[in-house]
Amino acid sequence: MDVMGDKATLFETGRFVQPSGDEEEGEIVAEQAAEELRQRLAAEAGDIEAMSVLGAMLLRRGDLDGAEPHLRAATAAGDRAAANNLGVLLHQRGYADEAAGWWRIAAVAGSAAAAHALGRHHRERGDEPAAEYWLRQSAEQGHVLGAYALADLLEHRGDPDAERWMRAAAERGHREAAYRLARALDLRAGPEPAGDNGVSSAAEAEQWYRQAAARGHRRAALHLGAILEKRGELKEAGRWYLTSAKDGEPRAACALGFLLRDAGDSESAAVWWLRAAQDGDGNAANALGALHAERGETQTAERWYRAAMDAGDVNGAYNLGLLCAEQGRTAQAEQWYRRAAYAGHREAANALAVLLLQGSDEAGAEPWFSKAAEAGSVDAAFNLGILYAKRGEDALALRWYERAAAAGHTEAALQVGMARLRDGDEQEAERHLRCAAGGGSAEAAYRLAALLDARRPPASAHELGEALHEKTECEEWYERAASLGHRRAQVRVGMLAAARGEVVEAARWYRAAAEAGSRNGAFNLGLLLAREGSEPEAAVWWTRAADAGHGRAALRLALVYARRGELAEGQRWADRAVSLGPAEVAERAARLRDALRQELSA
């Protein structure tokens, strides 16, 4: 049992202990020796208070044999502080029951410290009613340790009155009480309105974290840093993380490492992660593993991932699986994924299912996809949708796609949108396509643009006869898809630009699509170049389009070669156009081919 708790006083004498420092140490020791001598002389002269103070001084110094006779003498004379300190001495000697007897005498005489000690004694013995009685006596007299101990007892029992006493202890400077009060407020915090004092639970929690942290509570400093980091106040968050980390809190050292990494200082981050990992922080060990993996130091990375796993962090096994998979060590990757998945790691379950599916073990993959999806893995829900769609079970596929889409999965939202389009539900289709397009899906942006384009009324003519060409929403989505590399969208944007007379812009988009392999883009670029008088270059793009199966491009080439007098080459491309179609192109190409054949045979 602590002799003094958090208070820097000599037991109940009211005399404050002077802080020690290297420069003043000799002077303080001399003063203490002089004070002890004065108290000893007064005690030998029969001064009861001096006996009590001298006993307390000797007890504090650890001289139990020297302290005991002075404390007994003062106690016999009715000094309650001496009775309390005698109880402390006997407790240190291992005579708990005798100590409790003297604490009771002192507590009955009004000693708050003795009532606190007696309450703790009864709680250690399992006598909670007696413990509560004496701790309440101590707390109601304003004893900070009594208030904290009472709050702890009531909190253990789930008594709502615990917070009042925890607050009382915190307000009197008890740092652990301040921290625990902050934790209670923090856990209760949410989007609730401010309390009677105009302060929300979250804001009040931060205030108490700050008070506890300022008094050297390392976990309070950690939580305060987390609050500040979440709010974007990274500089101050870093200071509190550093304070906590220096006091030996591994989670703060780990968090500080992530702050430094995000600031671009990976070397300093590694120093703090190493410190945290050596203190058993699995998250820091994983971070070190990832850092070494990025550097290509796979053996070191694997060692830290194993350390994370040994520290109880299941992410270590998952990361080992990822590392093995990247190295092509499939069997080992499966082993680690399986270990993490059995421990409840949902992404490991999804990764295991993907691995099994790649090995054509669809039956083995499905339950792991299901387990991961039910645990909240968005990717697993999407993968289940793919699995069911592949089997033709469209209703089940759609259900999982919808679940993944509701959690923000872009490709799942696209699949739901396409399914709703097939069902004719344009309103729901548009909603999901907007979600997917907003998430960066080029295909969704293109399909949304096409949907809006189909609804667009014909362009009205300007009263002076000039068409107005203001960009519509569908054009903006086409451009979004085109900028993301969607070839059909690029062709469509090029066509819209050409319609506005923006030839250079149209050519840019056609060329982008053609170079990405779009035969329509190549064909349209050829048309644009031919109109601008660059038929030789147009023929190059038509050739690329025709080689990719574009019938109209083949027909254009046949006409070009016929005009040049290269009848055999023209006939060859006409034959190609006939085979490629469509019907009207095939018909025209057949007539041209027959004419060229007659010309060649004449």
Side-chain angles (χ1 to χ4, degrees):
M1 184 173 293
D2 294 335
V3 176
M4 293 180 57
D6 281 1
K7 291 294 185 181
T9 59
L10 283 174
F11 310 102
E12 294 192 67
T13 63
R15 297 175 182 269
F16 285 90
V17 179
Q18 297 297 321
S20 61
D22 293 340
E23 297 179 359
E24 301 175 358
E25 186 174 351
E27 183 179 344
I28 291 171
V29 170
E31 288 180 0
Q32 289 175 344
E35 176 64 17
E36 182 180 330
L37 179 60
R38 283 194 295 273
Q39 296 297 341
R40 189 177 295 278
L41 291 172
E44 289 173 354
D47 189 318
I48 304 302
E49 182 180 356
M51 294 178 191
S52 179
V53 172
L54 178 59
M57 293 177 72
L58 295 171
L59 176 60
R60 181 175 179 82
R61 201 166 67 206
D63 184 0
L64 304 188
D65 291 335
E68 186 171 354
H70 297 292
L71 292 175
R72 285 191 180 277
T75 298
D79 189 295
R80 70 180 188 187
N84 175 53
N85 291 335
L86 180 57
V88 172
L89 185 148
L90 292 168
H91 187 273
Q92 289 184 11
R93 288 190 185 277
Y95 303 126
D97 291 336
E98 189 180 351
W102 290 112
W103 282 330
R104 183 181 297 276
I105 290 171
V108 169
S111 169
H116 163 247
L118 186 58
R120 287 183 60 181
H121 168 81
H122 284 298
R123 188 174 182 189
E124 288 168 3
R125 295 294 186 276
D127 187 353
E128 289 198 1
E132 181 182 350
Y133 174 81
W134 288 110
L135 290 175
R136 194 174 292 278
Q137 293 290 320
S138 174
E140 288 175 350
Q141 291 180 65
H143 193 275
V144 62
L145 296 180
Y148 174 72
L150 176 61
D152 183 66
L153 176 64
L154 295 175
E155 186 176 88
H156 175 71
R157 290 211 306 250
D159 191 320
D161 201 35
E163 185 176 317
R164 178 170 73 92
W165 289 109
M166 196 70 78
R167 189 181 296 276
E171 287 171 348
R172 295 186 182 111
H174 195 289
R175 69 180 188 182
E176 183 66 24
Y179 170 71
R180 289 178 62 175
L181 177 60
R183 288 297 294 147
L185 292 166
D186 202 357
L187 293 171
R188 184 166 82 216
E192 83 282 2
D196 295 338
N197 57 357
V199 180
S200 68
S201 292
E204 190 180 3
E206 181 181 339
Q207 292 172 3
W208 287 114
Y209 278 137
R210 194 175 290 277
Q211 287 200 29
R215 293 178 179 274
H217 197 291
R218 69 185 194 187
R219 282 174 295 162
L222 167 66
H223 286 285
L224 179 58
I227 290 171
L228 294 166
E229 181 182 3
K230 187 176 180 181
R231 205 159 61 211
E233 298 176 23
L234 303 184
K235 192 172 182 180
E236 188 180 359
R239 286 201 299 268
W240 286 112
Y241 282 149
L242 179 61
T243 298
S244 180
K246 284 182 174 178
D247 285 342
E249 177 55 58
R251 289 176 296 169
C254 181
L256 180 59
F258 282 111
L259 269 190
L260 291 166
R261 182 205 61 184
D262 293 343
D265 189 356
S266 295
E267 294 303 320
S268 296
V271 171
W272 287 104
W273 282 334
L274 178 61
R275 182 166 174 173
Q278 289 173 337
D279 286 338
D281 190 282
N283 195 21
N286 270 316
L288 276 175
L291 184 65
H292 287 290
E294 287 172 8
R295 295 172 177 173
E297 301 165 358
T298 55
Q299 288 186 337
T300 308
E302 185 170 337
R303 179 167 62 85
W304 282 114
Y305 287 148
R306 287 180 182 274
M309 192 172 57
D310 291 342
D313 192 326
V314 70
N315 283 312
Y318 173 59
N319 288 331
L320 276 169
L322 291 174
L323 191 66
C324 292
E326 288 172 3
Q327 296 172 336
R329 296 151 59 193
T330 307
Q332 288 174 287
E334 182 182 337
Q335 171 196 342
W336 292 117
Y337 284 149
R338 201 176 288 277
R339 179 166 178 172
Y342 276 122
H345 196 291
R346 65 190 189 191
E347 296 309 325
N350 178 60
L352 174 60
V354 169
L355 204 62
L356 293 170
L357 196 59
Q358 289 171 346
S360 302
D361 185 3
E362 188 174 306
E366 184 180 346
W368 285 112
F369 276 139
S370 296
K371 184 173 182 178
E374 293 293 354
S377 171
V378 181
D379 288 336
F382 177 65
N383 289 336
L384 266 180
I386 293 175
L387 196 65
Y388 288 125
K390 184 180 175 182
R391 294 178 186 170
E393 300 177 45
D394 294 337
L396 274 174
L398 182 58
R399 181 163 68 86
W400 286 108
Y401 283 146
E402 286 178 329
R403 184 162 176 173
H409 195 287
T410 297
E411 289 304 311
L414 169 62
Q415 294 300 323
V416 175
M418 291 168 62
R420 295 305 181 202
L421 273 179
R422 288 192 295 270
D423 295 339
D425 188 350
E426 288 193 2
Q427 186 175 358
E428 274 298 293
E430 181 182 341
R431 183 172 72 85
H432 282 95
L433 289 175
R434 284 187 183 277
C435 290
S441 169
E443 182 67 24
Y446 173 73
R447 289 180 178 272
L448 175 61
L451 179 64
L452 298 172
D453 203 0
R455 296 177 186 166
R456 187 168 56 162
S460 59
H462 191 269
E463 61 181 3
L464 297 178
E466 296 177 355
L468 288 173
H469 294 295
E470 295 180 358
K471 283 188 180 179
T472 61
E473 186 186 5
C474 75
E475 289 181 69
E476 291 173 355
W477 284 114
Y478 277 134
E479 289 183 1
R480 172 85 67 89
S483 66
L484 292 170
H486 195 284
R487 294 182 302 178
R488 283 178 293 168
Q490 290 169 339
V491 173
R492 185 64 179 140
V493 171
M495 291 170 66
L496 292 168
R500 292 195 298 269
E502 299 171 1
V503 178
V504 175
E505 183 72 1
R508 181 172 75 86
W509 285 113
Y510 287 150
R511 191 179 298 275
E515 289 176 348
S518 168
R519 62 188 186 184
N520 285 330
F523 176 70
N524 287 358
L525 179 57
L527 288 177
L528 203 63
L529 292 167
R531 290 189 194 121
E532 296 298 310
S534 301
E535 191 174 84
E537 188 180 353
V540 172
W541 289 106
W542 283 333
T543 301
R544 183 180 290 194
D547 286 341
H550 199 288
R552 286 188 174 84
L555 178 57
R556 287 278 178 174
L557 285 169
L559 291 168
V560 168
Y561 284 111
R563 283 197 300 271
R564 291 178 184 175
E566 300 178 30
L567 303 184
E569 189 67 10
Q571 184 182 342
R572 186 176 72 82
W573 282 113
D575 276 335
R576 177 78 169 145
V578 169
S579 66
L580 291 173
E584 67 273 14
V585 170
E587 184 181 345
R588 290 179 59 195
R591 290 198 301 269
L592 177 60
R593 179 191 61 191
D594 292 344
L596 291 173
R597 184 177 296 141
Q598 289 176 6
E599 186 72 22
L600 283 167
S601 62

